[in-house]
């Protein structure tokens, strides 16, 4: 008997590649979207510089890492010297400034792991999150953007996976599933393990970029234009890769034993990372190491129930890609919360 994980990819899988590529194209943000986003950044810069003339404004997250769709929010980080004031005090002041400048729905969310001001832009309607001095997020944004320039199949795969995750209801960290950031890292990890490889491990190469964020060293090879042909030996189509991605997470990944690490370009054992015992709320049921903050498990919100849901969704997706007549449609059928 062959077990499920030994199943080979269906022979007609490539007939679905044009459909998936069309879908990817439709998810990419339009030029108009990018222009509006820039206008939002400009008006925000103007508001902020009145109160904090030396502050620097960085875009991070999907509006800057090239994994953003037309539905993504705009994530902004303000870099500034803060004297005796606390981050929370600054955020409250910032909220006042933005209200005065007639941004909509301004709200300071100060209790979160990363405190932010959330608001929406009356011009574009975009929702925008602003944090202070969260430079690790700025560094990981650049890392993701650099990976995206090596092999275009990473962007294609990640857009489809993010879209799938949103429609299937498994892109909600507050409910115990995974962030978009975690899904992109899962895609990078997966492509680093293909044979032949589609992506290298940038942090294991010569460090041409280094940024030190409060003692955490963020260093890797960032001359990615030199790596344009890196994935050329690998001829897999996007349909094949999408199937293999879900197959990997459904049947190959060893959840009990392994941590995925984009930093080393492979898996590491939970034992080696000391992520075995439950410490506080960290259950480590699905372990995704942050590439820079290496003691940070991006799957830390996953619990007994959501790990089951996630694995069932990976299996469902793999099975549909294997057997359905029209996986481009069925894969993305919205999860029905009623039933
Ligand atoms: P979306 O298109 O869904 O908005 P996104 O890439 O902006 O995708 P978010 O989940 O909004 O994803 O996160 C924004 C950014 O914040 C990420 O790109 C990453 O830089 C940072 N980030 C998010 N979650 C974490 C986390 N748990 N640890 C470290 N950084 C994180
Ligand atoms: Mg975002």
């Amino acid at each position: 008997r062959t077990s499920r994980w030994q199943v080979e990819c269906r022979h007609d899988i490539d007939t679905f590649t044009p459909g998936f590529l069309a879908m990817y194209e439709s998810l990419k943000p339009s030029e108009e979207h990018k222009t509006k986003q820039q206008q939002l950044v400009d008006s925000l810069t103007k508001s902020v510089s009145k109160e904090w003339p030396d502050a620097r404004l960085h875009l991070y997250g999907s509006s800057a890492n090239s994994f953003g769709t037309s539905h993504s929010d705009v994530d902004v980080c303000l870099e500034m010297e803060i004297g005796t004031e606390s981050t929370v005090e600054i955020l409250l002041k910032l909220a006042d400034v933005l209200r005065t400048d007639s941004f909509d729905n301004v709200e300071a969310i100060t209790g979160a792991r990363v405190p932010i001001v959330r608001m929406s832009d009356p011009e574009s309607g975009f929702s925008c999150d602003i944090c202070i001095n969260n430079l690790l997020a700025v560094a990981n944004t650049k890392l993701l953007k650099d990976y995206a320039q090596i092999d275009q199949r990473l962007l294609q795969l990640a857009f489809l996976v993010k879209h799938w995750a949103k429609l299937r209801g498994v892109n909600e960290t507050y409910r115990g599933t995974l962030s978009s950031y975690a899904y992109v890292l899962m895609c990078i990890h997966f492509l680093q393990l293909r044979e032949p490889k589609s992506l290298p491990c940038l942090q294991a190469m010569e460090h041409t970029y280094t940024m030190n964020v409060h003692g955490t060293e963020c260093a890797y090879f960032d001359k990615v234009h030199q790596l344009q042909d890196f994935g050329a030996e690998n001829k897999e189509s996007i349909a094949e890769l999408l199937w293999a991605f879900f197959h990997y997470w459904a049947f190959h990944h060893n959840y009990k034993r392994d941590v995925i690490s984009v930093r080393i370009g492979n898996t590491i054992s939970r034992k080696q990372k000391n992520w075995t015992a439950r410490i506080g709320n960290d259950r480590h049921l699905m372990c995704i190491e942050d590439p820079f903050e290496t003691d940070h498990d991006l799957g830390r919100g996953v619990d007994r129930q959501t790990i089951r849901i996630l694995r069932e969704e990976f299996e469902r997706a793999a099975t549909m890609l294997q057997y359905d007549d029209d996986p481009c449609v069925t894969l993305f059928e919205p999860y029905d919360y009623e039933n």
Side-chain angles (χ1 to χ4, degrees):
R1 258 186 73 201
T2 50
S3 53
R4 284 179 302 183
W5 62 268
Q6 284 169 316
V7 162
E8 274 185 28
C9 189
R10 68 203 273 174
H11 297 296
D12 63 345
I13 188 83
D14 270 341
T15 56
F16 304 113
T17 289
F20 285 126
L21 286 179
M23 199 156 197
Y24 160 69
E25 288 298 329
S26 73
L27 292 166
K28 276 201 308 196
S30 60
E31 284 308 313
E32 188 199 350
H33 181 90
K34 289 182 203 159
T35 314
K36 281 189 182 164
Q37 190 172 293
Q38 192 52 49
Q39 284 162 354
L40 165 57
V41 171
D42 293 343
S43 58
L44 195 59
T45 310
K46 224 189 241 166
S47 290
V48 169
S49 63
K50 276 188 279 181
E51 183 75 34
W52 299 278
D54 296 327
R56 283 183 61 194
L57 200 137
H58 304 273
L59 273 179
Y60 74 100
S62 61
S63 32
N65 66 16
S66 65
F67 293 91
T69 66
S70 293
H71 308 290
S72 296
D73 58 357
V74 179
D75 300 301
V76 172
C77 171
L78 293 182
E79 181 185 3
M80 58 166 88
E81 297 271 343
I82 49 177
T84 53
E85 271 177 309
S86 68
T87 308
V88 168
E89 284 168 322
I90 306 245
L91 285 171
L92 293 172
K93 200 191 273 178
L94 175 65
D96 280 337
V97 171
L98 297 175
R99 277 188 203 105
T100 314
D101 287 349
S102 45
F103 285 101
D104 288 339
N105 310 314
V106 180
E107 186 190 359
I109 303 173
T110 53
R113 195 179 73 95
V114 178
I116 55 166
V117 170
R118 175 163 291 165
M119 55 96 164
S120 52
D121 175 27
E123 297 293 326
S124 60
F126 294 164
S127 143
C128 177
D129 284 354
I130 308 164
C131 65
I132 313 273
N133 290 339
N134 184 11
L135 294 179
L136 274 171
V138 176
N140 67 38
T141 294
K142 177 172 156 57
L143 179 72
L144 263 46
K145 186 178 176 201
D146 286 334
Y147 269 114
Q149 290 176 61
I150 301 169
D151 189 326
Q152 60 171 350
R153 288 172 296 181
L154 169 60
L155 273 184
Q156 296 165 351
L157 179 67
F159 268 68
L160 294 168
V161 168
K162 271 176 71 173
H163 186 55
W164 163 87
K166 283 189 209 293
L167 289 167
R168 298 302 300 168
V170 288
N171 180 206
E172 298 172 333
T173 39
Y174 59 92
R175 284 192 149 134
T177 54
L178 299 168
S179 67
S180 298
Y181 176 56
Y183 281 110
V184 175
L185 292 173
M186 286 159 68
C187 291
I188 296 175
H189 165 75
F190 165 76
L191 294 176
Q192 284 175 331
L193 291 185
R194 299 314 287 163
E195 297 276 354
K197 290 181 197 303
S198 151
L199 289 179
C201 173
L202 294 176
Q203 286 169 278
M205 297 167 68
E206 182 200 348
H207 294 170
T208 54
Y209 169 83
T210 353
M211 171 156 124
N212 193 298
V213 183
H214 317 299
T216 303
E217 175 107 313
C218 307
Y220 65 95
F221 183 79
D222 77 334
K223 296 187 176 162
V224 285
H225 56 274
Q226 292 175 14
L227 300 171
Q228 291 300 297
D229 297 326
F230 185 90
E233 294 271 297
N234 180 309
K235 309 284 185 211
E236 289 171 295
S237 69
I238 189 62
E240 237 173 305
L241 287 172
L242 195 61
W243 171 82
F245 175 86
F246 286 120
H247 208 261
Y248 177 84
W249 290 103
F251 309 120
H252 286 266
H253 178 66
N254 190 330
Y255 290 78
K256 288 217 165 74
R257 191 191 61 200
D258 289 335
V259 176
I260 70 154
S261 170
V262 162
R263 172 179 62 97
I264 64 161
N266 211 325
T267 55
I268 330 178
S269 71
R270 287 174 60 200
K271 236 191 230 147
Q272 210 178 330
K273 282 217 66 100
N274 240 332
W275 281 0
T276 44
R278 175 173 170 175
I279 303 167
N281 276 330
D282 283 10
R283 297 178 192 83
H284 300 304
L285 297 173
M286 175 162 182
C287 301
I288 304 169
E289 181 196 64
D290 185 273
F292 298 133
E293 247 180 314
T294 54
D295 55 6
H296 184 39
D297 178 4
L298 293 166
R300 102 196 152 285
V302 175
D303 60 34
R304 296 245 166 254
Q305 197 200 350
T306 52
I307 188 70
R308 191 177 51 77
I309 294 172
L310 281 164
R311 296 185 64 169
E312 279 171 11
E313 283 296 331
F314 295 139
E315 248 185 78
R316 172 190 176 272
T319 308
M320 289 187 152
L321 283 159
Q322 185 80 4
Y323 300 110
D324 274 16
D325 294 334
D326 208 352
C328 294
V329 176
T330 51
L331 194 59
F332 303 100
E333 257 158 26
Y335 178 76
D336 182 358
Y337 288 94
E338 303 287 303
N339 291 299

